[in-house]
Amino acid sequence: MKILSIETSCDETAISIIETNSDITNFKVISDLVISQIEIHAEYGGVFPALAKREHAKNLVPLLAESFKKDPANKEKIDLLPKTTKEIKEILEREPETFDMLIAFFKNNKVSKIDMIMVTYGPGLAPALWVGVNFARSLSVIFNCPILPINHMEGHITSILLNDNYKISDEALYPISDFTFPMIALLISGGHTQIILVRDWGNYKILGETIDDAVGEAFDKVARMLGMKYPGGPKISKAAENGKENGNITFPRPMLHSDDYRFSFSGLKTSVRYKIRDLEKENGKLDNQTISNIAREFEHAAAEVLLKKTMKAINEYSATSLIIAGGVSANKFITSEFKNETKKNNINLYLPEKNMCGDNSLMIATAGFMNLRSKKAPIPQCEIDAVGNLKF
Ligand code: KG4
Ligand code: ZN
């Protein structure tokens, strides 16, 4: 079975094609493409939803074309009947540019046969999600195939199933029986900070989440205060490498001792703001060493609360394994803290491959594949909506 997956929940437009093996125990990656909008949003200091929507609408058809180019399978022309074209025009009513590009593409190109579409339907920026969902609906009409709607967060969780050789191997996933439950998943991204109990693939319960800013968002905001461009996470983490402990620069560990799994990063961000203000008042513009010291202390504060609460969940639920996923899982200091602590406690730690930390569509295909294995039924294209605040 050949599956095309689509991701447009935030500022990455992504399309992948995978092919499952005959007994649906594993799959092969045929193509996996992402266009990042980071540069475009950088000047706004964060993701600007209307702009993200416009860029997704512009990027999807060229990505689709490139994806089919990468597929060596036999291709055929699909002649779109007037009735089909009319139906797609209605679906893409709000993305007329995508409609024109899509029709022109099918008129001029042969394509391989797609048996199922998978698409992120939430959580994320609603205008951005809708572009992907409407594109998925259009393709499902063209290929006369069903759609499986996928939760973006389930995509991040299952991204750790992709093995080191996923790009070239006929079996992109680790053997599924290698994983034991219960697991705890820590999802840390620009939009989310959640601790999730994973009782099995597809069986998730949120134990706690942030009550204000997501941890990635706090990294981005602090970076901005320090004069670094969006996305600030990688820049803070780089600056922190040169940071030194300094008794004059200390930040709180919010909710460290609260007896639950909730987080709060807004207060931490505000303390950084006050500290920068005070230091600038005393000494003028911050020098690079002070910036590094602030970055280091901020990173330590964020890491400490993430670590303490996650380990508490592992103990309470007698979890055997920990998954850390989402964009912030690319942070070397945070992951090294978790590596030490899980090793000490004999807990398996699963992190996504480097390319899988940020948003992508292969993780959506992986989550969908796991849904198929557990016999979750795909649905007809007319019944799918984007849900910005989708929960498990
Ligand atoms: O999962 P993701 O690509 O998109 C969302 O769904 O949000 O995560 C992006 C977030 C941004 O806030 C970015 O600053 C953060 O991940 N990030 C990092 C690092 N790399 C990316 N944060 C801290 N350290 C990093 N190395
Ligand atoms: Zn994400």
Side-chain angles (χ1 to χ4, degrees):
M1 178 167 35
K2 198 169 273 184
I3 299 169
L4 186 140
S5 66
I6 302 164
E7 156 66 39
T8 64
S9 67
C10 191
D11 59 347
E12 259 88 35
T13 321
I15 293 185
S16 304
I17 300 177
I18 63 164
E19 184 155 27
T20 65
N21 59 11
S22 53
D23 52 355
I24 317 209
T25 51
N26 218 310
F27 64 75
K28 173 182 175 171
V29 178
I30 291 176
S31 100
D32 175 33
L33 300 171
V34 184
I35 297 181
S36 171
Q37 305 173 7
I38 279 180
E39 291 298 322
I40 294 164
H41 294 284
E43 56 182 294
Y44 298 91
V47 182
F48 192 58
L51 203 55
K53 173 188 150 76
R54 196 189 74 190
E55 289 299 306
H56 290 313
K58 204 165 76 185
N59 291 339
L60 279 168
V61 176
L63 269 185
L64 182 74
E66 201 54 36
S67 306
F68 282 124
K69 263 195 210 154
K70 293 199 178 286
D71 186 357
N74 278 342
K75 306 210 175 58
E76 276 177 31
K77 185 95 189 303
I78 299 183
D79 290 319
L80 301 181
L81 300 171
K83 183 175 149 283
T84 311
T85 309
K86 185 165 170 273
E87 201 174 335
I88 298 167
K89 190 166 192 171
E90 276 164 24
I91 295 171
L92 294 176
E93 196 189 344
R94 284 160 183 256
E95 294 94 40
E97 184 191 8
T98 313
F99 170 77
D100 291 341
M101 287 197 282
L102 191 64
I103 299 301
F105 171 74
F106 277 95
K107 208 169 166 185
N108 299 316
N109 293 279
K110 292 179 172 178
V111 294
S112 25
K113 186 174 170 298
I114 297 295
D115 303 297
M116 189 181 290
I117 312 281
M118 294 176 176
V119 63
T120 305
Y121 75 117
L125 304 169
L129 286 164
W130 270 112
V131 183
V133 164
N134 287 338
F135 194 66
R137 293 173 67 203
S138 307
L139 291 180
S140 90
V141 171
I142 294 172
F143 288 104
N144 192 20
C145 72
I147 303 182
L148 197 56
I150 303 297
N151 181 317
H152 179 84
M153 305 316 282
E154 187 171 14
H156 276 304
I157 293 177
T158 55
S159 67
I160 59 102
L161 285 164
L162 288 152
N163 62 37
D164 296 351
N165 284 325
Y166 74 87
K167 284 186 188 158
I168 47 167
S169 166
D170 279 353
E171 300 201 330
L173 302 183
Y174 287 115
I176 295 180
S177 56
D178 281 3
F179 297 85
T180 54
F181 298 91
M183 295 192 197
I184 293 293
L186 173 67
L187 298 187
I188 40 180
S189 72
H192 292 88
T193 307
Q194 295 180 324
I195 295 188
I196 294 164
L197 173 63
V198 184
R199 291 203 182 92
D200 200 344
W201 300 116
N203 184 341
Y204 312 109
K205 182 178 174 222
I206 298 176
L207 299 179
E209 55 193 328
T210 180
I211 57 170
D212 41 51
D213 290 354
V215 62
E217 189 181 354
F219 267 88
D220 294 336
K221 288 179 177 167
V222 165
R224 202 173 176 197
M225 294 174 207
L226 293 171
M228 301 163 186
K229 263 189 155 181
Y230 174 84
K235 289 159 195 117
I236 290 276
S237 133
K238 184 104 194 58
E241 284 173 18
N242 302 320
K244 296 197 179 78
E245 199 169 349
N246 176 329
N248 187 31
I249 299 173
T250 54
F251 298 131
R253 274 59 176 159
M255 300 184 80
L256 187 65
H257 302 293
S258 72
D259 197 22
D260 56 26
Y261 298 109
R262 292 181 307 160
F263 296 97
S264 164
F265 291 101
S266 170
L268 172 57
K269 174 194 72 189
T270 308
S271 325
V272 178
R273 173 166 303 159
Y274 289 150
K275 180 51 78 182
I276 294 174
R277 187 195 60 188
D278 293 348
L279 289 172
E280 282 182 340
K281 229 186 239 171
E282 269 172 49
N283 312 317
K285 197 172 173 294
L286 301 184
D287 58 41
N288 283 345
Q289 186 60 54
T290 310
I291 290 177
S292 289
N293 296 351
I294 293 174
R296 177 187 180 277
E297 170 62 7
F298 166 75
E299 195 174 67
H300 274 64
E304 193 174 331
V305 274
L306 292 173
L307 187 67
K308 166 124 195 247
K309 299 235 163 176
T310 308
M311 294 312 292
K312 175 174 144 73
I314 288 175
N315 285 331
E316 182 172 342
Y317 291 91
S318 305
T320 55
S321 313
L322 170 65
I323 294 173
I324 309 182
V328 184
S329 65
N331 184 286
K332 288 208 189 89
F333 177 72
I334 295 177
T335 51
S336 76
E337 291 287 284
F338 274 99
K339 276 180 192 157
N340 293 339
E341 202 59 26
T342 47
K343 198 168 170 201
K344 249 193 263 166
N345 290 281
N346 224 357
I347 303 293
N348 303 310
L349 175 63
Y350 300 111
L351 294 165
E353 281 298 301
K354 196 165 163 280
N355 295 331
M356 288 292 126
C357 288
D359 290 345
N360 63 85
S361 51
L362 194 52
M363 71 182 196
I364 301 306
T366 307
F369 174 83
M370 296 307 286
N371 276 291
L372 276 186
R373 279 176 51 92
S374 58
K375 307 268 181 291
K376 183 171 161 188
I379 57 169
Q381 56 88 9
C382 49
E383 286 170 21
I384 169 172
D385 285 329
V387 185
N389 62 357
L390 181 68
K391 299 260 183 228
F392 282 124

